[in-house]
Amino acid sequence: MINYPSSKLPDVGTSIFAVMSGLANEHQAINLSQGFPDFNCPEELIALVTKYMQEGFNQYAPMPGMPVLRHKISEKTEKVYGYRPDPDQEVTVTSGATEALFAAIMAVVKSGDEVVVLEPCYDSYAPAIRLAGGIPIYVPLALPDFHIDWDLLKKNISRRTRMIIINTPHNPTGAVIPREDLEKLASLTDGTDILIMSDEVYEHMVFDGQEHVSALQIESLRQRAFVISSFGKTYHTTGWKIGYVVAPPALTAELRKMHQFITFCSVTPLQLAIADYMDNEEHYRSLPNFYQAKRDLFCELVKPSRFELIPSAGTYFQLLKYDAISQEHDLDFAKRLTKEIGVASVPVSAFYHNKTDHRYLRFCFAKSEETLRQAAERLVKL
């Protein structure tokens, strides 16, 4: 009998997103769990992909990304954030934002390094830190609006702190980090070698007239940050898995060493199509209003229910607090809703390392109006 090696991640199972989507499929439930639109990407974008495939652009792209796309990213970054990164030394195209996160962590986190993680958080952060030999240091965001507790954060900074991970707009809570908090972060890390990973994949989904402030807009943060974006989120193409990283030249060089051995490059015709479509500035400029309309519709439809909600400030997720309905653990409640009323969500405890349960469920509103109406009708009956 073969004596197989022990698991590197013995406590990690199938992601909650796959679990809840699988349960939704099994029970033919409306799936508001996994974060993907149920509508298609722009037709012009599909036509551009087809064009480049037919023209023979079906071989490896350069490892850092197609030059034309990196130049377009640089131009867009200047338009939106006032900083023009060097497309050759500061921009890297990756196979989705999750690969970008993994490559950034693997590039700079060494054995024994500590990485501060603000919880609840996206579930790929901690496994990547652990695989790099690092130690996740978990700092909970403060309820009810999930803001940063600066006193608590400072207490968890040590001489071993290599990186702090931030996420704005924030998955799963929808919170948006204001400029003054980023300036506090800049002051906190000034004079240190602490790096920042800023997960900004929902950068174009900020509501109620608020502004998404990027780490790229604060010079002292920009000099120490990996800033990660997602074309999948921006262009309704989560299945394409195309993202990118903007980072200083020294950090970019290290990130690319990881990237070249993880995926080497991303899909060529998709990169070329996106580069062309990026000239359509109106698309990403219109996303705040597009998704706010969906958020507002979902919140209005759910208002008569016994759920408690604070409208999401960003992303395409809405939290609903259910403690007036049930005292069940959120995972049990989420599974019961999927099976009994046919609406799938994600329990927020899944975003905490110790499964902290504040009785919140996360619902994705990147769906058609019909889907949202059907789901809300069922939720209101609880």
Side-chain angles (χ1 to χ4, degrees), residues 11-25:
D11 56 334
V12 174
T14 305
S15 81
I16 190 65
F17 313 110
V19 169
M20 296 310 298
S21 285
L23 201 62
N25 291 335

Side-chain angles (χ1 to χ4, degrees), residues 233-248:
K233 301 297 188 297
T234 299
Y235 293 127
H236 321 312
T237 54
T238 62
W240 290 10
K241 299 298 292 179
I242 306 287
Y244 63 92
V245 186
V246 176

